[in-house]
Amino acid sequence: MLEPIRFLLPGPSYVPEDVRQALARPLIGHRSAAFKELYARVGARLPAVLRTRGEALVATASSTLVMEAAIASCVESQVLHLVNGAFAERWHQISVALGKSPDRLEAPMGEALDPDLVRRALRRKRYEAVALVHNETSAGVMNPLPEIARAVREESDALLLVDTVSSLGGVPVETDAWGLDVVLAGTQKALALPPGLTVFTLSGRAAERAAGVARRGFYTDLLRYLAKHREGGTITTPAVSLFYALDLQLDRILAEGMEARWARHQRLQARTAAWAEENGFAFAPAPGARSWTVSCLRPPDGMAAPEIVQRLGERGYVVGGGYGDWKSTTFRIGHMGEVRESDLEALLAALAEVVVACTAS
Amino acid sequence: MLEPIRFLLPGPSYVPEDVRQALARPLIGHRSAAFKELYARVGARLPAVLRTRGEALVATASSTLVMEAAIASCVESQVLHLVNGAFAERWHQISVALGKSPDRLEAPMGEALDPDLVRRALRRKRYEAVALVHNETSAGVMNPLPEIARAVREESDALLLVDTVSSLGGVPVETDAWGLDVVLAGTQKALALPPGLTVFTLSGRAAERAAGVARRGFYTDLLRYLAKHREGGTITTPAVSLFYALDLQLDRILAEGMEARWARHQRLQARTAAWAEENGFAFAPAPGARSWTVSCLRPPDGMAAPEIVQRLGERGYVVGGGYGDWKSTTFRIGHMGEVRESDLEALLAALAEVVVACTAS
């Protein structure tokens, strides 16, 4: 049984005590038989989380590195970035920094990307890849990934590069069924692990294309990870302690089951939405665009979002402030990872107290 | 007091219990005041380890990423790689993978790089940078870094990029006094921390040059780390748990003092050398090239190096096997990090037993 969770940031999320204790195990050499077994155990189970019959890999780095690696490895020049939030913005910036020729298709912050607009953009120009963020943590927006994937597949032979940092493990991500080519996620969100590792997969199609791309770099070369994985290990010294945690947490995730985990996250979102409506809090994202893992809320008139975050903090609850342009007008509840209905109810009760306190003051 | 250390790999090295327990602390947001304080504490003390009045930075990645970043950020095209082991070989390979035009100046495995040859190479051609590995873990070879640095400084305006992965914290590395431009080290060697973070510094000169280099990438852009550091944080979500460990271990390292730490490593090397001579074990590296942190030894005739490693393992001691071409003929004792004379004596006693057992069998 987990302790009550009062840490509901939109990442890093709460990490269970047993998983944190796993970090403290004595180190082993990364070329030892013990590490090879650990790596093989992770590699055997991670594809079930990524919903692929392909290979699942792990980078010792933040997700940004694998976002960069996806561009460096799969794109010689032409890439279309779908942008409706801070992390998609960063991905575009990465393509610029790598000297690629990225185009942008934007939706306003808070709105989901429109698959029809993607379709039209792909009719106008040929792209090697389309890159998007499934769930924009910054705005609490979930993009219609299956519909976008279908549009990309039907209109082009572009590779689909998908950041699922705050969706994987909390929201359906069907790598094979939807035909996604590179799927990547940091471990510190709905997987409920500490930050420092990024899990990812690449399709056979992506691997073939990458083989033709020049200057993929080294740490950013996805094919290098794949080749080393097939030898049973990592490209460089891995963060062994973080692998201990991943190994243990995969047990918990798969014991719950992916479908059950997604359903739990959906219930947490629905409960948050119901509470918000009853209490005069508005969702910042448009109705069809609301994330299952993070709710971005605007408080009723007369209540300041940063004050709500602070007063929740005084009551022992950690939630996220607003991001970027929405910093002062929204706050974010990360109902992701191991958060249960009981944890959310306790938070909402505290939030109700805060509303009373804010109204009185 | 530390427990007896029986884990003497040439990295990852033994990590003290209290440092491992620090990993298990509950997570905090990387934008929280608590993380900013932690980051500032690390940033205030790390320059003393790197011996610089400049800024010390931390990447959430293996050292290879920062080796790549140093090339991507500081080199438009022409770089001279000094190569006498596996990790220098990798650095050259990284420059190739990035599409640079790297030249090589080699010394045979087991021999140190010759500063005079470096001098001559710099007279023949102009380079933007010279890259070398201070201590080649693969061969147990320590290169004469101050002499090489002097040669580079006197003969050229090339930047000096130095991998100190298995020397920093165990061997003098005088960043400012020797005029080193980029100094990088993974934390899992003589700093006695888990792998997953890389500490580094870059000189003002290096930062100026980097500003003129195109396509530095994002995760590989040293200037981006510097800019974020000056805002008090990291470029992406950092491996917070590993920062907890770094914060605590910096206390231990600086309480011992850098000079005392270097002297301890030198004594460990000298004791290993004396034991080897008494017992008919030869150092694989040439006499002037022996590392203070890792001893690479060839057993006497009739004894197989892999058998020695295995028999030590049966006695509870973990040492490293040979690397690459020396896999079957050498083994490596990592007397680095927190290893004390008493730990080394116990290992050498076990090794003496193994010698008897090998001779008898």
Side-chain angles (χ1 to χ4, degrees):
Chain A
M1 278 296 292
L2 300 182
E3 60 187 331
I5 299 174
R6 293 179 173 148
F7 186 81
L8 289 97
L9 275 188
S13 61
Y14 168 85
V15 177
E17 170 77 17
D18 57 351
V19 175
R20 288 189 280 108
Q21 285 304 332
L23 295 170
R25 290 180 199 156
L27 274 289
I28 53 176
H30 55 284
R31 294 202 184 80
S32 67
F35 184 78
K36 280 180 185 149
E37 281 165 30
L38 163 60
Y39 185 82
R41 277 199 306 277
V42 167
R45 290 172 299 154
L46 207 44
V49 174
L50 284 154
R51 306 287 275 197
T52 179
R53 285 177 304 275
E55 287 146 310
L57 311 169
V58 185
T60 289
S62 309
S63 308
T64 303
L65 183 275
V66 184
M67 294 163 78
E68 183 161 356
I71 301 295
S73 299
C74 299
V75 176
E76 195 69 64
S77 168
Q78 305 295 323
V79 51
L80 178 64
H81 284 276
L82 311 184
V83 178
N84 65 332
F87 292 96
E89 193 68 62
R90 172 180 290 179
W91 212 348
H92 176 263
Q93 198 181 349
I94 287 169
S95 286
V96 172
L98 287 169
K100 309 298 181 187
S101 301
D103 285 346
R104 298 161 63 96
L105 177 66
E106 295 181 49
M109 189 165 172
E111 289 182 24
L113 299 163
D114 181 344
D116 284 335
L117 294 180
V118 175
R119 208 175 276 278
R120 276 183 242 170
L122 292 172
R123 286 177 191 167
R124 281 195 300 271
K125 185 168 167 183
R126 187 157 182 275
Y127 292 98
E128 296 162 75
V130 174
L132 76 152
V133 174
H134 183 197
N135 191 77
E136 260 295 348
T137 320
S138 58
V141 165
M142 196 158 79
N143 287 306
L145 182 55
E147 291 77 10
I148 292 170
R150 197 178 314 125
V152 173
R153 279 279 169 273
E154 289 175 4
E155 301 294 338
S156 77
D157 67 348
L159 295 174
L160 251 165
L161 316 179
V162 190
D163 168 332
T164 64
V165 171
S166 58
S167 59
L168 188 74
V171 176
V173 175
E174 294 285 5
T175 298
D176 287 357
W178 299 345
L180 313 178
D181 292 298
V182 175
V183 174
L184 67 100
T187 51
Q188 75 279 10
K189 305 275 188 179
L191 300 176
L193 283 158
L197 296 180
T198 299
V199 301
F200 65 101
T201 182
L202 76 164
S203 67
R205 219 165 75 98
E208 275 171 39
R209 293 275 192 95
V213 172
R215 287 194 298 207
R216 298 189 300 271
F218 190 103
Y219 215 87
T220 55
D221 181 1
L222 296 181
L223 295 185
R224 195 175 293 274
Y225 289 83
L226 191 61
K228 281 290 176 186
H229 175 77
R230 288 174 179 172
E231 292 171 14
T234 56
I235 63 163
T236 61
T237 307
V240 171
S241 312
L242 299 178
F243 268 84
Y244 291 150
L246 173 58
D247 184 33
L248 185 62
Q249 178 66 359
L250 281 174
D251 287 345
R252 178 178 273 118
I253 290 171
L254 295 173
E256 180 176 15
M258 296 309 290
E259 287 82 356
R261 202 168 172 89
W262 300 334
R264 174 166 57 79
H265 282 80
Q266 192 178 21
R267 287 196 305 274
L268 293 170
Q269 195 281 329
R271 173 62 186 129
T272 305
W275 185 93
E277 185 158 2
E278 281 163 30
N279 290 273
F281 283 65
F283 267 80
R290 292 171 190 170
S291 165
W292 291 7
T293 57
V294 50
S295 286
C296 183
L297 299 174
R298 289 189 209 282
D301 284 347
M303 267 179 240
E307 188 185 345
I308 289 174
V309 174
Q310 191 199 318
R311 285 181 183 259
L312 280 173
E314 288 159 8
R315 283 165 175 77
Y317 286 90
V318 181
V319 300
Y323 197 100
D325 291 347
W326 290 2
K327 199 176 176 66
S328 62
T329 56
T330 69
F331 68 102
R332 294 174 299 159
I333 302 173
H335 36 69
M336 61 169 73
E338 297 309 321
V339 172
R340 295 148 302 189
E341 275 110 330
S342 58
D343 302 314
L344 183 63
E345 288 305 333
L347 172 74
L348 295 175
L351 190 50
E353 285 178 24
V354 165
V355 169
V356 171
C358 283
T359 312
S361 72
Chain B
M1 276 297 291
L2 299 182
E3 60 188 331
I5 299 174
R6 292 178 175 149
F7 186 81
L8 290 96
L9 274 188
S13 60
Y14 168 85
V15 178
E17 170 77 17
D18 57 350
V19 175
R20 288 190 281 107
Q21 285 303 331
L23 295 170
R25 290 180 199 156
L27 274 290
I28 52 175
H30 55 285
R31 293 201 184 81
S32 66
F35 184 77
K36 281 180 184 149
E37 281 165 30
L38 163 60
Y39 185 82
R41 277 200 306 278
V42 167
R45 290 173 297 155
L46 207 44
V49 174
L50 284 153
R51 308 286 274 197
T52 178
R53 285 177 306 274
E55 288 146 310
L57 310 170
V58 185
T60 289
S62 309
S63 308
T64 303
L65 183 275
V66 183
M67 294 163 77
E68 183 161 357
I71 300 295
S73 299
C74 299
V75 176
E76 196 68 66
S77 167
Q78 305 294 323
V79 51
L80 177 64
H81 284 276
L82 311 184
V83 179
N84 65 332
F87 292 95
E89 193 67 63
R90 173 180 291 180
W91 211 349
H92 177 263
Q93 199 181 348
I94 288 170
S95 285
V96 172
L98 288 170
K100 308 297 180 188
S101 301
D103 285 346
R104 299 161 62 97
L105 177 67
E106 294 180 50
M109 189 166 173
E111 289 183 24
L113 299 163
D114 181 344
D116 284 334
L117 294 179
V118 175
R119 209 175 273 277
R120 277 183 241 170
L122 292 172
R123 286 177 191 168
R124 282 195 299 271
K125 184 168 168 184
R126 187 158 181 272
Y127 293 98
E128 297 162 74
V130 175
L132 77 150
V133 174
H134 183 195
N135 191 77
E136 261 295 349
T137 321
S138 57
V141 165
M142 196 156 79
N143 287 306
L145 182 54
E147 291 77 10
I148 292 170
R150 195 178 315 124
V152 173
R153 279 280 169 274
E154 288 175 3
E155 300 294 339
S156 77
D157 67 347
L159 296 174
L160 250 165
L161 316 179
V162 190
D163 169 332
T164 63
V165 171
S166 58
S167 59
L168 189 73
V171 177
V173 175
E174 295 283 5
T175 298
D176 287 357
W178 298 345
L180 314 178
D181 291 298
V182 175
V183 174
L184 67 100
T187 50
Q188 75 279 9
K189 305 276 188 178
L191 300 176
L193 282 158
L197 295 180
T198 299
V199 301
F200 66 102
T201 183
L202 76 164
S203 67
R205 220 164 76 99
E208 275 171 39
R209 294 277 191 95
V213 173
R215 287 195 297 207
R216 298 188 300 270
F218 190 103
Y219 215 88
T220 55
D221 181 1
L222 296 182
L223 295 186
R224 196 175 293 274
Y225 290 82
L226 191 60
K228 281 290 176 186
H229 175 76
R230 288 173 179 172
E231 292 171 15
T234 56
I235 64 162
T236 62
T237 307
V240 171
S241 313
L242 299 178
F243 268 84
Y244 291 149
L246 174 57
D247 184 35
L248 185 63
Q249 178 66 359
L250 281 174
D251 287 346
R252 177 178 275 117
I253 291 170
L254 294 174
E256 180 175 16
M258 297 308 292
E259 287 82 355
R261 201 167 172 91
W262 300 334
R264 173 166 58 81
H265 281 81
Q266 191 177 22
R267 288 196 304 274
L268 293 169
Q269 196 282 329
R271 173 62 185 129
T272 305
W275 185 93
E277 185 158 2
E278 281 163 29
N279 290 273
F281 284 64
F283 268 79
R290 292 171 190 171
S291 166
W292 290 7
T293 58
V294 48
S295 286
C296 184
L297 298 174
R298 290 188 208 283
D301 284 347
M303 268 180 238
E307 188 184 347
I308 289 173
V309 173
Q310 190 200 318
R311 285 181 184 258
L312 279 173
E314 288 160 8
R315 283 164 174 78
Y317 286 90
V318 181
V319 300
Y323 197 101
D325 291 347
W326 289 3
K327 198 176 176 67
S328 62
T329 56
T330 69
F331 68 101
R332 295 174 297 160
I333 302 173
H335 36 69
M336 60 169 74
E338 297 309 321
V339 172
R340 295 149 301 191
E341 275 111 329
S342 57
D343 303 313
L344 183 64
E345 289 305 333
L347 171 76
L348 294 174
L351 191 50
E353 285 177 27
V354 165
V355 169
V356 172
C358 284
T359 312
S361 72

